[in-house]
Amino acid sequence: MFEELRAVQRQFGYLPADQLHALSAKLKIPVSQIHAVASFYPHFNLAPPPKADVRICADMSCHLRGASELREDLKRAFHGAPETDITIRDASCLGRCDSAPALSVNDTIYSGVTREQTVDMVRAATSGRGLPRVPVNRVRAILSTDPYKGAGEYVSVRRLVESKDFLGTIATLKASGLRGLGGAGFPTGSKWEIVRNAPGRKYIVCNADESEPGTIKDRFIMEQMPHLVIEGMILAGLVTGAKTGIIYIRHEYEEQKEALQHEIDRCYAIGVLGPNVMGSQSAFDLSIFVSPGGYICGEESALLEAIEGRRAEPRNKPPFPGTNGLYNMPTVINNVETFTFAAAILVRGVDWFKAQGLNGIAGLKFVGVSGDVERPGVFEVPMGTSYSDLIYRYARGVSGNRKLLGFAPSGPSSGFLPAKMIALPLDFNAVAAAGSMVGSGAIVVCAEGRCMLDMALNAVRFYRNESCGKCVPCRVGSQKMVSLLTNWTNGKSSASDRQTLEDLTQAMRMTSICGLGQIVHAPIASVLKHFPDVIEEHLERRYCSAGVCFQGQG
């Protein structure tokens, strides 16, 4: 269905009603079902778009780097223009946190552009002239993770094809301690073992739909090491007996899709993929599925629903994907970084992996550092590296010679930690003990002078905007939480607000179907805990020392 809908939209610019009816007859699917799917995903248009459809990222890193100012500048520049010419609206994270602020003009993403450049681009779009090409940076990084330092050689696939030591491969991954690196942290070897032991047709799915604010590491890995992502998936297929793999990639990652597709084509040409993997009797086919959009698609069961052609609404668990995944069959779902490290470990060994960390903490990690830093970017670092080093050594310190106020170790889902905790090591257990999480390694830095209540509201609003709406606690609770926090920034708080917030938190944590609803409270809960003076000045004194809230009256 998705390819058909994309074809219609490419032809008409949107999805006309008569075309949906024609598609219904062609696919023998009720038009109501097609409309329900098309209306769910943000990258399908049900009405003719304007000449310039401008969407400005409104989330954490872009919020810190001038997105609000850019939006207001554009509104002033095009004040009075008809909606058939231009619409200017907020968008959720566009995956360019290291070059914020980012915006999309007619579905082409630009980042790190000036106000003048943006106005010129939008004028070009409204006048029917072409948009400028997005510059492509193809600089190859030298990475410790890559055993090949270039094109994939698929050494571990050849070894496994020859040895057929599938149980030994699982044992190696277990011994390495590798866990899922998308946030959940489930042991990789155990996940592959569950699928291997489950009956039925099996699938391998790579979750490349990272779309939480601050999370950009998988984008970097797919650019630099697509061969290791693919090698990890082939290994998972051989170990579990799966013959089909799918890379689910976010809509905004066109360059990364091209890098993966180029490597997939090469693998078919040299016999690494196909009916006889490296001359064996084992088959493994791999394809790419482009997401129709939406943060919820990063939730593993919602992702499966999308692949199956439905609305990306999370499934109730149990059962879990290991036994009942894609098409209700056993499915390995790992993210890009996990497959990459699985391949690297199986090429180089457990001892190599464990030796990469610091102070007895095993392994490497890719982290993205963005927000108020001098050099935002993605860095390959030893596990055990302190957050102080991540911010001051790798990212070159807080921008503008300001002091550090706080940081999120993993985007909005981790909440915020105060500056005094930057000595924490990049370690799952240590960060969990501090009340947060390493998660996906999306480190967002806030300098002195920022309002942490404003940052919490921004993060909670992201979750509200991205709720799929399937379950009432998340759909209603996230909106209520945004309204409550908005009142706090407008001087409209009441004495019962804290109890209301606690009640909302408990209800959403206990009854939301998926992790999105269960984590909505994290940003404001962390600010209440670590920045109580900020809350008190807003609620008791109706004052914002950062000059952000109460209509900018500091």
Side-chain angles (χ1 to χ4, degrees):
M1 185 193 301
F2 288 122
E3 287 308 312
E4 296 279 0
L5 289 171
R6 288 189 180 107
V8 172
Q9 183 152 300
R10 281 193 296 267
Q11 181 178 356
F12 297 94
Y14 72 110
L15 303 176
D18 62 332
Q19 294 298 315
L20 294 184
H21 282 278
L23 188 58
S24 171
K26 178 181 178 180
L27 300 180
K28 296 181 172 54
I29 297 174
V31 71
S32 59
Q33 184 176 331
I34 294 176
H35 188 277
V37 170
S39 63
F40 181 86
Y41 294 101
H43 293 295
F44 289 125
N45 301 318
L46 294 173
K51 293 176 183 176
D53 179 13
V54 182
R55 309 183 191 199
I56 300 171
C57 176
D59 295 321
M60 294 173 77
S61 301
C62 289
H63 183 59
L64 289 166
R65 304 285 286 205
S68 297
E69 293 83 353
L70 178 60
R71 182 177 60 251
E72 294 310 309
D73 283 345
L74 282 175
K75 286 183 177 180
R76 282 191 294 269
F78 293 94
H79 178 71
E83 288 191 0
T84 53
D85 279 355
I86 182 172
T87 57
I88 301 170
R89 50 185 166 153
D90 288 344
S92 287
C93 183
L94 296 170
R96 304 297 190 276
C97 311
D98 50 342
S99 53
L103 74 157
S104 166
V105 182
N106 294 346
D107 218 22
T108 299
I109 299 172
Y110 299 91
S111 58
V113 292
T114 65
R115 183 257 187 200
E116 291 76 17
Q117 290 172 322
T118 304
V119 170
D120 287 344
M121 283 192 301
V122 176
R123 283 208 176 105
T126 57
S127 64
R129 289 181 282 131
L131 290 166
R133 299 187 66 176
V134 179
V136 176
N137 181 11
R138 298 191 183 277
V139 176
R140 174 72 70 176
I142 299 173
L143 300 170
S144 299
T145 302
D146 190 356
Y148 308 128
K149 309 302 179 187
E153 299 174 20
Y154 298 92
V155 168
S156 58
V157 174
R158 186 173 299 281
R159 287 177 186 161
L160 188 56
V161 163
E162 292 173 353
S163 71
K164 295 184 171 50
D165 188 11
F166 306 123
L167 297 181
T169 299
I170 290 173
T172 297
L173 291 176
K174 286 183 174 181
S176 73
L178 180 66
R179 60 171 76 187
L181 297 169
F186 192 84
T188 304
S190 298
K191 180 178 287 190
W192 292 17
E193 185 177 47
I194 289 168
V195 175
R196 175 178 173 80
N197 293 336
R201 179 184 175 91
K202 299 165 186 179
Y203 295 92
I204 309 298
V205 175
C206 177
N207 186 346
D209 192 61
E210 62 172 1
S211 49
E212 184 165 14
T215 311
I216 48 177
K217 64 179 177 62
D218 287 350
R219 189 197 76 199
F220 176 82
I221 293 169
M222 289 185 285
E223 289 172 2
Q224 299 290 334
M225 299 182 292
H227 50 279
L228 281 190
V229 182
I230 292 167
E231 185 163 11
M233 294 185 72
I234 297 171
L235 291 165
L238 294 172
V239 166
T240 62
K243 299 183 185 302
T244 302
I246 298 170
I247 300 174
Y248 188 106
I249 192 167
R250 67 178 298 186
H251 171 87
E252 294 86 356
Y253 281 181
E254 181 61 33
E255 183 181 347
Q256 292 70 33
K257 173 182 172 290
E258 290 177 2
L260 288 164
Q261 190 61 59
H262 177 79
E263 184 66 13
I264 288 171
D265 293 343
R266 189 177 81 91
C267 287
Y268 274 106
I270 64 176
V272 177
L273 287 170
N276 296 290
V277 174
M278 286 192 163
S280 69
Q281 299 302 308
S282 298
F284 191 74
D285 288 299
L286 185 58
S287 61
I288 298 174
F289 182 96
V290 178
S291 173
Y295 167 73
I296 195 61
C297 295
E299 197 279 334
E300 60 182 10
S301 64
L303 178 153
L304 297 177
E305 290 288 299
I307 294 175
E308 293 179 20
R310 293 189 287 272
R311 295 162 65 97
E313 295 176 337
R315 301 172 180 176
N316 290 314
K317 299 176 185 177
F320 294 95
T323 56
N324 299 80
L326 188 61
Y327 305 114
N328 208 35
M329 292 289 115
T331 304
V332 167
I333 305 179
N334 283 129
N335 85 323
V336 167
E337 189 178 12
T338 308
F339 280 123
T340 298
F341 277 123
I345 290 166
L346 293 170
V347 173
R348 287 178 153 169
V350 172
D351 291 343
W352 165 81
F353 184 67
K354 289 190 172 182
Q356 301 308 301
L358 299 175
N359 301 317
I361 303 168
L364 292 164
K365 182 82 178 74
F366 286 89
V367 299
V369 187
S370 62
D372 289 329
V373 290
E374 288 289 343
R375 189 178 73 161
V378 178
F379 307 100
E380 178 193 47
V381 301
M383 288 294 291
T385 301
S386 71
Y387 284 92
S388 177
D389 276 352
L390 293 173
I391 295 169
Y392 286 98
R393 183 156 68 92
Y394 288 94
R396 304 279 174 83
V398 181
S399 56
N401 292 317
R402 291 172 289 177
K403 293 181 179 179
L404 177 68
L405 177 61
F407 64 100
S410 187
S413 60
S414 67
F416 299 93
L417 295 177
K420 66 183 180 182
M421 300 182 76
I422 60 169
L424 275 172
L426 187 67
D427 172 58
F428 292 98
N429 295 330
V431 179
S436 186
M437 63 180 182
V438 169
S440 63
I443 301 161
V444 181
V445 176
C446 298
E448 193 173 56
R450 299 296 186 182
C451 174
M452 295 309 297
L453 175 58
D454 172 65
M455 291 303 299
L457 171 58
N458 178 273
V460 173
R461 187 186 291 121
F462 165 79
Y463 286 127
R464 186 276 311 273
N465 293 345
E466 292 300 319
S467 172
C468 75
K470 180 179 181 178
C471 65
V472 173
C474 181
R475 183 178 71 245
V476 177
S478 62
Q479 176 57 54
K480 179 66 176 177
M481 201 172 287
V482 167
S483 298
L484 187 149
L485 297 183
T486 300
N487 285 341
W488 287 10
T489 65
N490 289 334
K492 299 175 183 176
S493 60
S494 66
S496 62
D497 280 355
R498 296 219 189 189
Q499 185 59 53
T500 300
L501 183 63
E502 179 62 27
D503 293 343
L504 282 170
T505 296
Q506 287 298 105
M508 294 174 73
R509 287 178 63 185
M510 295 176 65
T511 61
S512 294
I513 291 174
C514 79
L516 188 156
Q518 296 162 14
I519 206 69
V520 170
H521 70 283
I524 184 57
S526 66
V527 172
L528 284 163
K529 178 179 179 180
H530 297 297
F531 303 92
D533 54 326
V534 173
I535 302 299
E536 291 305 316
E537 73 174 17
H538 282 76
L539 300 192
E540 303 301 327
R541 295 160 51 201
R542 302 293 197 270
Y543 177 76
C544 176
S545 57
V548 174
C549 306
F550 312 114
Q551 292 74 50
Q553 297 176 6

